[in-house]
């Protein structure tokens, strides 16, 4: 596992030119998936001994690799599946491109950590997670071929800007993204399981076992944080609060920007997000000493205000011109003020459970 590209070499062809989809994945919008780097020396110092027995069980689960043959497109699904409703087309393609960028972002970071650290626990963990994320990214790219779209992931890895995060920020953000990813995928899977006629694309059939990968990744970060309790106390509680709100609000705004996608599944974006956030909030009690108060009506008032501001920003961006250059930053400041208001809403404090591990039972 020399690099992220080597993990994907057999799955993803390198495009001879930079196509529009690769350009879209390169964009660094406020809500778009980002690529990250971190302090590898600090990661090297991570100690898991306080939860060694639980860690060994989790590593055995990774080694068992129960999804080793799952992310393959079956021969009986060789036909073209790009014929979706025209109103749905752009949003579904945007969903796939955003998803593949996010998965590949994880693959790059995890493979780089594995390559640069000497800590055997960390090398093992990040090697397994890079393996999983490369499969996910490669699998999405298999279906993108139907749309005559291919993301040049090798070019993307070299050209996209990287954001530096301290290791603890990686732990908070990645734990949340993996657990909320589980909640999102399992909620969609359960809804379409009840109404299979609404499953407009085969990729949704893979969501159940796919989201179990996400859940397992989150378990690793839960163990890392619980084995190093200083990450969960003092001023770090304020960082946890920040990342919870950032991840939750980003999801809320993104989902409401894809109305046709959820209409096709007969799912209300608002109801869907509320369910996903409740599941995620419940899961995070395994590791975070605080959870956001989703029963406070002011929380969703803030979510809807941020949504309205981002929608206005999109209108001005589409118009372009001098007015857009003035209004987009102003609207961004207003969104930041609403975020700050939501940040200072009261939260729930609670004791951490004795047993850290959870099972994906939702």
């Amino acid at each position: 596992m020399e690099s992220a590209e080597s993990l994907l070499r057999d799955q993803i062809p390198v495009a001879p030119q930079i196509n529009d989809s690769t350009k879209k994945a390169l964009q660094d919008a406020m809500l778009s998936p980002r690529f990250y780097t971190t302090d590898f020396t600090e990661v090297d110092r991570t100690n898991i001994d306080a939860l060694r027995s639980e860690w060994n069980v989790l590593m055995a689960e990774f080694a068992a690799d129960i999804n080793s043959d799952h992310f393959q497109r079956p021969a009986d699904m060789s036909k073209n599946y790009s014929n979706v409703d025209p109103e749905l087309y752009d949003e579904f393609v945007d969903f796939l491109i955003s998803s593949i960028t996010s998965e590949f972002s994880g693959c790059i970071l995890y493979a780089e950590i594995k390559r640069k650290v000497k800590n055997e626990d960390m090398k093992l963990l990040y090697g397994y997670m890079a393996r999983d994320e490369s499969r996910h990214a490669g699998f999405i790219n298999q279906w993108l071929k139907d749309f005559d779209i291919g993301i040049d992931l090798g070019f993307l890895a070299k050209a996209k800007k990287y954001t530096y995060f301290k290791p603890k920020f990686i732990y908070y953000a990645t734990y949340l993204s993996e657990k909320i990813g589980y909640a999102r995928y399992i909620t969609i899977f359960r809804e379409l399981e009840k109404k299979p006629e609404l499953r407009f694309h085969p990729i949704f059939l893979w969501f159940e076992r796919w989201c179990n990968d996400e859940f397992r990744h989150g378990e690793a970060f839960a163990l890392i944080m619980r084995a190093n309790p200083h990450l969960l106390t003092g001023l770090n509680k304020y960082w946890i609060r920040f990342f919870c709100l950032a991840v939750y609000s980003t999801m809320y705004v993104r989902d409401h920007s894809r109305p046709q996608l959820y209409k096709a599944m007969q799912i209300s974006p608002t109801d869907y997000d509320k369910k996903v956030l409740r599941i995620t909030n419940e899961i995070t009690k395994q590791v975070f000493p605080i959870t956001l108060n989703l029963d406070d009506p002011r929380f969703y008032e803030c979510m809807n205000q941020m949504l309205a501001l981002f929608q206005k920003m999109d209108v001005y961006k589409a118009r372009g011109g001098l007015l857009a250059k003035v209004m987009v930053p102003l609207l961004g400041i207003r969104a930041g003020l609403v975020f700050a208001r939501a940040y200072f809403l009261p939260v729930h404090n609670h004791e951490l459970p004795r047993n850290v591990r959870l099972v994906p039972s939702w």
Side-chain angles (χ1 to χ4, degrees):
M1 195 179 299
E2 292 299 320
S3 66
E5 287 111 313
S6 68
L7 283 164
L8 293 154
R9 187 177 295 131
D10 296 333
Q11 299 183 52
I12 300 173
V14 176
Q17 297 180 346
I18 306 172
N19 58 26
D20 290 340
S21 301
T22 303
K23 290 177 182 177
K24 188 170 186 177
L26 276 171
Q27 293 174 359
D28 285 309
M30 191 177 298
L31 300 178
S32 64
R34 296 177 180 271
F35 282 18
Y36 296 96
T37 186
T38 192
D39 184 337
F40 302 103
T41 302
E42 188 174 339
V43 173
D44 223 1
R45 292 195 293 265
T46 304
N47 190 304
I48 202 70
D49 287 344
L51 292 171
R52 174 61 60 185
S53 59
E54 291 92 335
W55 181 264
N56 289 343
V57 170
L58 181 60
M59 291 304 104
E61 292 175 15
F62 274 110
D65 198 11
I66 59 174
N67 279 343
S68 61
D69 60 350
H70 181 58
F71 294 99
Q72 295 296 326
R73 183 167 172 169
D76 61 357
M77 289 187 181
S78 60
K79 68 177 185 178
N80 189 320
Y81 287 94
S82 64
N83 186 26
V84 298
D85 189 287
E87 290 186 347
L88 174 61
Y89 185 93
D90 287 344
E91 290 184 14
F92 184 56
V93 169
D94 179 69
F95 167 76
L96 293 175
I97 292 174
S98 176
S99 297
I100 196 172
T101 307
S102 180
E103 298 284 0
F104 191 55
S105 168
C107 175
I108 290 175
L109 175 64
Y110 301 154
E112 193 71 357
I113 292 175
K114 178 184 184 293
R115 188 172 68 85
K116 291 190 173 181
V117 302
K118 297 177 181 178
N119 182 319
E120 290 301 323
D121 289 325
M122 296 300 101
K123 286 179 77 72
L124 191 64
L125 169 65
Y126 288 107
Y128 286 141
M129 294 205 301
R131 173 201 69 192
D132 292 348
E133 302 290 30
S134 79
R135 284 177 185 159
H136 299 166
F139 185 62
I140 297 170
N141 235 21
Q142 291 179 39
W143 296 102
L144 279 172
K145 291 175 186 176
D146 290 349
F147 298 86
D148 293 324
I149 293 172
I151 307 296
D152 185 345
L153 296 179
F155 176 82
L156 196 63
K158 295 180 177 69
K160 194 168 173 73
K161 294 179 182 178
Y162 284 71
T163 300
Y164 174 83
F165 260 18
K166 292 181 178 181
K168 67 179 180 181
F169 296 161
I170 294 288
Y171 302 153
Y172 304 147
T174 310
Y175 169 78
L176 281 164
S177 66
E178 299 286 2
K179 292 301 188 181
I180 207 169
Y182 164 81
R184 289 172 59 77
Y185 279 18
I186 198 61
T187 300
I188 289 175
F189 181 84
R190 298 289 182 224
E191 288 295 319
L192 297 182
E193 193 176 37
K194 290 185 289 187
K195 299 179 180 178
E197 69 277 7
L198 301 178
R199 193 183 293 121
F200 62 84
H201 192 277
I203 198 169
F204 297 114
L205 292 167
W206 276 261
F207 271 24
E208 183 178 31
R209 287 171 62 181
W210 191 332
C211 73
N212 287 341
D213 276 353
E214 312 290 337
F215 196 94
R216 190 177 303 107
H217 294 176
E219 291 294 283
F221 289 104
L223 289 176
I224 288 173
M225 288 185 281
R226 288 292 299 272
N228 297 273
H230 66 279
L231 296 171
L232 306 172
T233 58
L235 293 177
N236 286 326
K237 292 174 70 174
Y238 293 97
W239 281 115
I240 290 168
R241 191 168 174 171
F242 171 83
F243 279 102
C244 284
L245 183 58
V247 171
Y248 287 13
S249 58
T250 298
M251 183 195 77
Y252 194 88
V253 173
R254 272 188 192 162
D255 283 347
H256 285 78
S257 70
R258 297 170 179 151
Q260 297 303 321
L261 179 62
Y262 292 95
K263 181 180 178 181
M265 297 184 286
Q266 294 184 8
I267 298 172
S268 157
T270 300
D271 292 343
Y272 169 73
D273 282 357
K274 287 182 177 181
K275 184 171 184 178
V276 167
L277 293 184
R278 286 197 176 278
I279 293 173
T280 307
N281 240 23
E282 192 63 29
I283 290 172
T284 61
K285 291 178 182 178
Q286 74 178 138
V287 63
F288 289 158
I290 63 102
T291 52
L292 302 187
N293 183 3
L294 303 180
D295 293 320
D296 187 335
R298 293 173 295 180
F299 175 82
Y300 284 108
E301 286 175 11
C302 289
M303 293 297 104
N304 287 321
Q305 287 172 16
M306 281 190 275
L307 171 61
L309 289 166
F310 275 103
Q311 288 174 334
K312 288 181 181 178
M313 288 169 68
D314 288 339
V315 171
Y316 280 108
K317 287 177 183 177
R319 289 179 185 170
L322 181 60
L323 186 59
K325 291 181 180 179
V326 174
M327 291 303 299
V328 169
L330 287 177
L331 291 167
I333 292 171
R334 287 179 59 189
L337 292 173
V338 176
F339 183 93
R341 180 189 169 214
Y343 180 85
F344 288 106
L345 292 175
V347 296
H348 292 305
N349 295 277
H350 51 82
E351 296 293 325
L352 297 179
R354 182 172 181 178
N355 296 320
V356 181
R357 292 293 309 277
L358 292 175
V359 295
S361 56
W362 284 267

